[in-house]
Amino acid sequence: MAQQEQRIGRYALLLALSEENDPIVMDQKNVKSCVGKVGTMDSQKIVAAIETAAKSNGLINGNVYREVHALYHAILEAIQGVTRGHLQLSGILRTVGLRFAVVRGAPYRNKEEGDWIAVALYGTIGAPIKGSEHESAGLGINHI
Amino acid sequence: MAQQEQRIGRYALLLALSEENDPIVMDQKNVKSCVGKVGTMDSQKIVAAIETAAKSNGLINGNVYREVHALYHAILEAIQGVTRGHLQLSGILRTVGLRFAVVRGAPYRNKEEGDWIAVALYGTIGAPIKGSEHESAGLGINHI
Amino acid sequence: MAQQEQRIGRYALLLALSEENDPIVMDQKNVKSCVGKVGTMDSQKIVAAIETAAKSNGLINGNVYREVHALYHAILEAIQGVTRGHLQLSGILRTVGLRFAVVRGAPYRNKEEGDWIAVALYGTIGAPIKGSEHESAGLGINHI
Amino acid sequence: MAQQEQRIGRYALLLALSEENDPIVMDQKNVKSCVGKVGTMDSQKIVAAIETAAKSNGLINGNVYREVHALYHAILEAIQGVTRGHLQLSGILRTVGLRFAVVRGAPYRNKEEGDWIAVALYGTIGAPIKGSEHESAGLGINHI
Amino acid sequence: MAQQEQRIGRYALLLALSEENDPIVMDQKNVKSCVGKVGTMDSQKIVAAIETAAKSNGLINGNVYREVHALYHAILEAIQGVTRGHLQLSGILRTVGLRFAVVRGAPYRNKEEGDWIAVALYGTIGAPIKGSEHESAGLGINHI
Amino acid sequence: MAQQEQRIGRYALLLALSEENDPIVMDQKNVKSCVGKVGTMDSQKIVAAIETAAKSNGLINGNVYREVHALYHAILEAIQGVTRGHLQLSGILRTVGLRFAVVRGAPYRNKEEGDWIAVALYGTIGAPIKGSEHESAGLGINHI
């Protein structure tokens, strides 16, 4: 069985947690990654922002559905971490301000395991009033 | 409205992600924290392990139900990040190996906001076979 | 451990169930409470109606996020009783007509347990056609 | 369309909320009802206790599957109110002490609407430690 | 106890899977059925399309709420098969193209079991881009 | 974008619906498939039965985690169709008798889309009493 060599999920989380004023030192080789931000009351905008970033940074081939499908499920899993079980924001009067990171790499020594993709989210969730919010995070991982 | 000064969720996640071989440098004042590990197919053992650690390290007062209640809901939210929506492990033939961190502090400048508690989980989830697993993480936060 | 002295949840349910034509006799001391009505296909309007009533009746301090956060989660739990697991109404073509009650008090003898808040909902849920509906109820409780 | 004449859900909730020391005066004609108690960490015991009470009190005919099926879904909906979205107790280290009521009647004026069944639950949910618990309630209704 | 004689669910699934270019031979007596198509990003349009078809084809009496209620829950259960646990489509940027079938009949030998209704869905779910989709199906059954 | 040529989900459903006494004529080329049966109150036995059948029939390579992972998520999605949103059986006093089919093939014309896997379930779900059950079905699909 495959043994894990590269922790793409941990790397994605650190990228999402790292900030200009408080950077985290990381050293990760042989992976592709991108980061971005999204603030919204509409969960489909989180999906769209991450898909666009992953495609334009060459992490997935947007013309191959299996790559889009793998990323999509990793995004949904990460959003479930943020919203804790549901997938709704505006429907229950919540807004999020998130930093996201997507990492693609080969986490297992066995080459047959191929590439996997990790999506990490970190930021705040709360009422649509400044300050009425607390931190939230999520991580989704899938084979690609 | 309260403005966030201390990010107890970010600190809890970094504690959960930090490891002997790959430590993360952190600087966080005026918070109480503890870390631990739990490996199980039984989600109630995750709850019990974190509750025990938080009580014995003085993060919550185990004799006051409102503190137990606050921690309990933060744990459930963190587990939902790990299992992505459901709360079951053995029922669907999954096992987890997790590092957890609990942080208690006052994240907001306004003193009336008082203490909040953060529970972070990071590790692996998968079939009960070595190597058949991928990374997973969760974060829960509550007022206490 | 704390022993329960005041059942704020039971009191909130009785307030929600009581009606002009069919009043329920209740005797509850040392609690704050308010009641109201909301009819909608939009679950965020239930959240907003209850938050507004609780603030304007002085049950919570709207300037303190921990009080808003405690109430918010109690509301969500009560809505889940009404919708039985999901949080959607219009998305699945359902409408509700609800009477709500919010009660704040100290349910436990131990003074350290402090205040808790209860949100009760009772009314009808159904298709957006008069008569195509049945009763529904929910109760959420949180420390505050 | 049918207009509601008898509120079997409200009656079931009042039966579940009524207690020897604090009885609620109710007047409800032309319905069958039963009440009982169940304390458990195992959600299937709640199902079994209510089914047994409903059968032995003649509220449903246990030999007709459509009646068993109608009651079963009403019970599940009531449990979701108690556990707020999930159906697990012991899996997440929770125990309940509940009073239940089952009511069967014809809530609508139109005779074609026939009989409906209501299941109400009220009691406490919490950690398996005396006092570490708060109130909880649920209501399920189905045509029979 | 009732023994199953007619499998209305299987028949509904075969109707949903049957197509002009690839018909499935079926022989089912003494049931009423209808089929239709719906393509949408809005889950309430699936509900509305099936309710309309079932009423206009005489499978249910739209003036009797218990029949509407029975069909409604069968539809929701079928949609949960398609969306696998959630009830959202546009909220998470998904679109469906579905063929639906509704079947009403008496599946059990015991006449007291009366009529039951089955709703089957089959088609595709995916991103709102041609080809970025895979198959999906669901089945809901209820007593009526 | 990829266009669908082979409907592996439809084929898997027809295999699950086909029976000795009532066979369905199917013609599907270039796919691998297997069928089996499982009756249980324990959802992890459904997972185990399907994984074992898929491995022993050469549909997936049990030594490659990405193949196990792809199949696992397709199984969970199919079970959610059967249980309609939850993943529990015994916990809520339900038992299932299911016929399952697994199909692996290349559903899209574009060769880059590679292999996908479909898991279909069809059978009965109900109380653990003969006859107190109705039909149920589910379909899960994933890239592999």
Side-chain angles (χ1 to χ4, degrees), chain B residues 1-2 61-70 73 77 108 110 112-116 141-144, chain C residues 1-2 61-70 73 77 108 110 112-116 141-144:
Chain B
M1 263 291 164
N61 179 347
N63 294 320
V64 178
Y65 175 48
R66 64 184 291 122
E67 301 219 338
V68 177
H69 183 252
H73 280 273
E77 294 190 353
Y108 302 96
N110 182 348
E112 284 185 87
E113 297 295 350
D115 275 7
W116 291 62
I141 288 188
N142 208 353
H143 62 283
I144 199 163
Chain C
M1 262 292 161
N61 180 347
N63 293 320
V64 178
Y65 175 47
R66 65 184 290 120
E67 301 220 338
V68 177
H69 183 252
H73 281 272
E77 293 190 353
Y108 302 96
N110 183 347
E112 284 184 87
E113 297 295 350
D115 275 7
W116 290 63
I141 289 190
N142 208 354
H143 62 284
I144 199 163

Side-chain angles (χ1 to χ4, degrees), chain F residues 26 49 73 85 113:
Chain F
M26 290 168 281
H73 280 273
E113 297 296 350

